[in-house]
Amino acid sequence: MNPDRELSLRWLDRIPPVALETTSLKDRAFLGDRAFDLSRIAQKGYPILPGSIVSAQMLSDFWQSQRWQEPLFAELLSSSLSLNVDDPSQLQAISSTIRRAILAAELPSGWVSDLAEIVRSESVTTAIVHPSLSVPSRLGKGTQVRLNELLDSQIAGVRPEDLTLALKRVWAELFRARSLFCWQRYGIALSDIRLAVVVQPLPEAIASGSLEVRGLRADIQATPGLEFISNRKEVIPDLYRVDLQTGEIRGRCREFLVEMSPSFAEASASEGEEKLPIAAISAALELARQLRADLGENFKLEWVLLGSTSGMPNALTSASSIYIVQVYPLGANGMEIPLEPNRPTVSAANAPTAILRGVAASGGQAIAPARTLAQLRNSGTGRSSPYILVASKLDPDAFPLLQNAAGLVAEWGGLTSHAAIFARELGIPAVVGVVGATDRIKSGEWLHLDGDRGEVHLNAIASPVTQSSVPPSSTSERPNLATQLWVNLSQPSAIDRVAALPVDGVGLIRSELMVREVLEGQPIERWLETDRSSQLVDRLAEALQKFTRAFAPRAVFYRTFDGGVRGRTADSALAVRGTLSYQIDPTLFDLELAAMARVRQAGGANLQLLLPFVRTVEEFEFCRQRVEAAGSSSSVWIALEVPSAIFLLPDYLRAGVGGIAIGSNDLTQLMLAAHRDDRAIADRFDARHPAVMRAIQQAIEMAREAGIPCSICGDAPARYPELVDALVRWGITAISVSPDAVESTARAIARSEKRLLLDAARSIPGMS
């Protein structure tokens, strides 16, 4: 490294910019943690992407300079904000009010000029605006790191008005619903928070990504161009796992391959695809080795690889071509502390003694004692305090036990298993496909469950926390979308939390999950007895009415029961299930239709019917006749999950189908003969497979030609956000996702629709 290298990071305050190398530890509160860490390595000569720092003092000055119309804002930054964060409606309302006020406020003209001066360059068209937070030191380094991750960065144009809006958006991040939730839970007064902002112009780049070092292992994520930095929540980068000692690449994912040729340009020209030069990998590894001496064994950074037109050095054999955008150390043993109050710090001295790994099925963290399925069923112990449910396989009748659980560990299942879906709706962490879990984990043993990494740490510190993850953030500023955005929801207990989200309706209520709560965990066969059937109708109608009232006038799609009853099982994808089971025994189906009819008669006209797993046109006609007799729906949709339905769609239309909802989970497993819950074949279960994509495209286009609506309600759009672009391009009318994926899917839809408009405009003569 060259210690005499001129630094480009500067202070930006209401005084002339000052070189960052003159800052010291006493400036940290006004720099924030991220900017301070950047300044540390910048002063040691590491290559930092040039930029400037907006002091935390500017936010305070901005606040004091405004003539706020509402009393709420007058003393906001100098007092504690009193609100009930457990009331989603109040939390969302206050968050939206404050953020709108910030975005509407004017900045002094001198500040706007200073911002514009940062990016004054002919070769720069965009800039990244990073939050840099400083919170009380009593919270510990690990928690401070994760609190910094609360606030999102912004990508902006270089016009003064673009930069000004981006700066205000970063300031407004302090008042998102999830941020307010954390300040309150941690007991942090707003006056104790300092928020600086780093503004970095973004030249044209070859690639961007992250570098995470844990001990002697380096994980390098990469995407072409600026995709990683611009759309980090939507893109799925390629991963290179490298041994720092030997430089050996132990793993590599997807198409963004390592090119062994020294010439990036030749490789791109000859093969027609972008590839990350092996020299760039080498440069990143050399940078990682040098940073270990200054940052310790565990740290993370974001980087960009700049091209020759950026105005900066472009020697691919040198680390000078890679520039650091952000950097921060990780906690002891590389463990990051989650956003949960009262969780003990896991240090080297008290680290878990063993780790089991599986599929990260639902994000979040939890520390609680283990309880086995048999123990809970037999004795009911542990229900009054948090526990982590450990099971070989979670059958639907056991789902009510998750209502009281802090987390789930299961030996069987995958990302699209019903247990995983159920956990995501409840907002609890879940790790499935954990081989040997029931043998290795003892009942009563304290576990640290990491649903983000798919890890189960045994012998955790006995200090219970709830899994209470950050609630869905306010997306009231969501742009208007032509494509409808729906939410998948099956738990009546989650309605109040989810109904406040800016969605166009409920695209899928999975009845077989909903009834577990309605039936209080009792087998459905007991409720089908003659003397209890009327009670079942009452309970179903009551539950459905909660959905229709909360979301009115938005549509609510209820998918009737898709499980085996009366001795039959639906464990297999090819079992007696869906509408075939209604032909064999229509008892439960008729009771569901009676409940729906009651809700519609009581004013729930937004309740719509969705038939599951339809195999034949004859099955649909059988069901439609019973629907008409019951008067339970004005339109009957089918879940398109069986591939044959695509070829027979014209016949279904003639039979009276009013719309189709593509179930990507079942459709994928039937197209690829890959069981959705089998971990051994999980790498074959991929909705992005060309066969699955062509099937989905054909179904959408056929529905569009027929003039009927077509939605998709499986997990594919949330799991693979890059699919949204194709769905919108093909003409999907609605996309339905789990509550945690609403915000990211809305952004993906907005980008896709914008691309379509731009493409259409460019195709007009004289508009290109």
Side-chain angles (χ1 to χ4, degrees):
M1 293 296 152
N2 180 8
D4 298 323
R5 181 177 176 272
E6 181 181 355
L7 297 174
S8 299
L9 281 172
R10 306 172 300 174
W11 282 91
L12 176 63
D13 208 338
R14 289 183 297 157
I15 55 175
V18 178
L20 189 56
E21 67 264 28
T22 62
T23 64
S24 62
L25 185 60
K26 64 182 176 63
D27 301 313
R28 182 169 193 151
F30 294 97
L31 280 170
D33 293 342
R34 293 285 174 87
F36 181 76
D37 288 335
L38 272 177
S39 72
R40 283 178 58 202
I41 64 171
Q43 293 176 46
K44 293 178 181 293
Y46 288 97
I48 305 296
L49 186 68
S52 298
I53 300 172
V54 177
S55 166
Q57 183 63 40
M58 279 188 72
L59 174 57
S60 179
D61 292 346
F62 158 75
W63 205 267
Q64 300 302 327
S65 70
Q66 300 299 312
R67 294 182 179 179
W68 301 111
Q69 300 299 314
E70 296 192 31
L72 169 68
F73 300 153
E75 305 295 329
L76 188 58
L77 292 189
S78 59
S79 64
S80 296
L81 180 61
S82 178
L83 75 161
N84 179 13
V85 296
D86 294 319
D87 182 344
S89 299
Q90 183 187 108
L91 186 64
Q92 297 284 355
I94 291 179
S95 169
S96 298
T97 300
I98 298 174
R99 295 178 71 199
R100 281 196 299 266
I102 293 174
L103 296 178
E106 297 290 334
L107 260 61
S109 59
W111 295 11
V112 176
S113 299
D114 286 343
L115 280 172
E117 201 59 41
I118 299 174
V119 296
R120 195 174 297 280
S121 170
E122 293 182 359
S123 63
V124 172
T125 58
T126 57
I128 185 168
V129 184
H130 289 298
S132 182
L133 191 68
S134 176
V135 293
S137 58
R138 62 177 171 79
L139 296 174
K141 183 61 181 176
T143 304
Q144 293 175 47
V145 168
R146 289 303 298 263
L147 285 173
N148 263 280
E149 294 180 350
L150 263 181
L151 312 183
D152 288 340
S153 301
Q154 301 289 325
I155 299 293
V158 296
R159 297 181 306 172
E161 57 268 31
D162 296 333
L163 290 171
T164 300
L165 180 59
L167 175 64
K168 291 190 292 184
R169 280 177 172 166
V170 171
W171 284 344
E173 288 284 304
L174 283 176
F175 304 100
R176 293 180 73 170
R178 66 183 187 184
S179 301
L180 294 174
F181 178 88
C182 284
W183 311 146
Q184 193 85 325
R185 281 290 188 259
Y186 278 104
I188 303 173
L190 291 170
S191 57
D192 292 335
I193 299 173
R194 300 286 185 271
L195 178 60
V197 180
V198 180
V199 182
Q200 295 168 298
L202 286 172
E204 182 179 351
I206 295 173
S208 60
S210 69
L211 168 66
E212 184 172 323
V213 174
R214 297 177 183 273
L216 291 174
R217 190 189 79 191
D219 285 350
I220 302 174
Q221 295 188 82
T223 64
L226 292 170
E227 278 296 300
F228 184 89
I229 292 177
S230 302
N231 306 311
R232 72 191 69 202
K233 289 188 176 181
E234 281 73 47
V235 302
I236 300 180
D238 294 293
L239 172 66
Y240 308 90
R241 181 153 292 173
V242 189
D243 187 306
L244 278 178
Q245 283 185 318
T246 64
E248 178 186 358
I249 299 175
R250 298 187 180 279
R252 186 182 68 202
C253 299
R254 281 180 278 275
E255 297 82 5
F256 194 49
L257 305 176
V258 174
E259 174 55 56
M260 304 306 294
S261 166
S263 172
F264 174 81
E266 290 179 5
S268 298
S270 63
E271 299 194 26
E273 59 181 340
E274 293 187 86
K275 297 185 178 182
L276 188 63
I278 192 64
I281 293 286
S282 301
L285 292 178
E286 180 59 29
L287 189 62
R289 294 186 182 106
Q290 294 173 359
L291 280 167
R292 287 181 84 239
D294 293 308
L295 297 181
E297 292 188 347
N298 305 294
F299 62 88
K300 186 174 182 178
L301 61 84
E302 292 179 8
W303 55 266
V304 291
L305 178 67
L306 300 182
S308 58
T309 60
S310 65
M312 297 185 183
N314 187 36
L316 288 182
T317 57
S318 165
S320 63
S321 61
I322 287 184
Y323 287 80
I324 298 171
V325 179
Q326 289 196 86
V327 64
Y328 44 92
L330 300 177
N333 286 342
M335 295 187 67
E336 299 177 35
I337 308 302
L339 294 170
E340 297 165 356
N342 305 322
R343 173 179 164 183
T345 300
V346 182
S347 65
N350 56 31
T353 58
I355 300 177
L356 302 179
R357 291 181 171 83
V359 177
S362 180
Q365 310 273 336
I367 295 179
R371 294 288 184 267
T372 64
L373 188 58
Q375 179 188 30
L376 289 170
R377 277 176 164 166
N378 293 336
S379 63
T381 58
R383 296 194 185 194
S384 60
S385 59
Y387 59 82
I388 293 175
L389 177 58
V390 180
S392 174
K393 183 177 182 180
L394 201 67
D395 58 87
D397 287 333
F399 285 173
L401 295 174
L402 283 180
Q403 296 279 3
N404 306 298
L408 168 68
V409 178
E411 292 182 324
W412 181 259
L415 280 172
T416 61
S417 64
H418 281 162
I421 292 168
F422 200 89
R424 288 195 291 271
E425 282 197 11
L426 293 175
I428 64 173
V431 181
V432 300
V434 183
V435 177
T438 55
D439 292 332
R440 295 286 303 277
I441 300 174
K442 299 177 182 178
S443 187
E445 179 179 11
W446 282 78
L447 307 177
H448 163 207
L449 183 62
D450 188 333
D452 299 309
R453 299 183 182 278
E455 295 179 348
V456 184
H457 299 257
L458 280 61
N459 300 323
I461 305 168
S463 178
V465 297
T466 66
Q467 82 293 335
S468 180
S469 57
V470 178
S473 58
S474 171
T475 54
S476 57
E477 297 86 4
R478 190 195 88 186
N480 291 326
L481 304 176
T483 307
Q484 289 192 309
L485 177 59
W486 293 342
V487 66
N488 300 333
L489 184 64
S490 302
Q491 302 310 300
S493 58
I495 289 175
D496 291 339
R497 177 173 61 91
V498 177
L501 293 175
V503 294
D504 299 305
V506 179
L508 177 63
I509 298 176
R510 294 178 173 93
S511 60
E512 62 275 10
L513 300 187
M514 186 195 79
V515 297
R516 307 302 170 180
E517 184 175 327
V518 170
L519 303 185
E520 301 175 346
Q522 299 181 31
I524 198 167
E525 284 81 3
R526 295 183 185 177
W527 290 88
L528 293 179
E529 297 172 1
T530 304
D531 59 344
R532 303 191 70 185
S533 59
S534 61
Q535 297 178 41
L536 178 56
V537 172
D538 292 341
R539 286 175 175 254
L540 287 174
E542 182 182 358
L544 288 174
Q545 204 162 43
K546 292 179 181 178
F547 285 94
T548 57
R549 287 175 174 173
F551 287 90
R554 295 169 289 179
V556 172
F557 282 85
Y558 175 72
R559 192 185 71 184
T560 48
F561 200 78
D562 187 20
V565 296
R566 296 190 185 276
R568 299 185 179 91
T569 178
D571 285 348
S572 168
L574 304 180
V576 175
R577 54 178 290 199
T579 52
L580 174 60
S581 68
Y582 306 164
Q583 280 189 312
I584 296 173
D585 185 349
T587 305
L588 177 58
F589 181 57
D590 288 342
L591 295 178
E592 289 181 285
L593 295 180
M596 290 186 68
R598 184 178 301 179
V599 173
R600 290 180 61 84
Q601 291 165 7
N606 54 330
L607 183 61
Q608 302 292 324
L609 173 64
L610 177 61
L611 296 175
F613 211 79
V614 184
R615 287 179 167 98
T616 67
V617 176
E618 290 73 24
E619 290 175 10
F620 170 77
E621 290 176 330
F622 171 84
C623 294
R624 183 178 55 79
Q625 292 171 5
R626 302 188 87 84
V627 170
E628 291 174 352
S632 57
S633 181
S634 59
S635 176
V636 182
W637 285 41
I638 62 170
L640 197 150
E641 298 162 302
V642 181
S644 63
I646 299 173
F647 303 102
L648 295 175
L649 192 54
D651 299 313
Y652 281 105
L653 294 174
R654 283 191 290 271
V657 165
I660 60 175
I662 298 171
S664 62
N665 297 338
D666 270 327
L667 182 62
T668 300
Q669 75 171 346
L670 294 178
M671 289 289 297
L672 302 179
H675 199 293
R676 57 193 284 187
D677 294 345
D678 192 341
R679 185 186 182 192
I681 202 169
D683 61 336
R684 297 292 186 267
F685 184 90
D686 191 336
R688 296 167 300 176
H689 189 283
V692 181
M693 293 298 292
R694 289 175 189 174
I696 293 175
Q697 179 181 2
Q698 183 174 340
I700 295 172
E701 292 178 346
M702 291 176 69
R704 186 175 62 185
E705 291 174 4
I708 64 168
C710 175
S711 70
I712 186 167
C713 55
D715 288 289
R719 188 178 178 188
Y720 310 114
E722 66 269 29
L723 297 187
V724 172
D725 198 50
L727 294 172
V728 172
R729 187 171 65 253
W730 295 333
I732 198 82
T733 55
I735 297 176
S736 192
V737 295
S738 56
D740 61 312
V742 165
E743 184 174 359
S744 60
T745 306
R747 289 197 298 268
I749 293 173
R751 283 196 306 274
S752 299
E753 292 183 348
K754 184 177 180 180
R755 288 193 192 100
L756 283 179
L757 290 173
L758 287 173
D759 291 344
R762 288 166 181 162
S763 66
I764 300 175
M767 295 293 290
S768 58

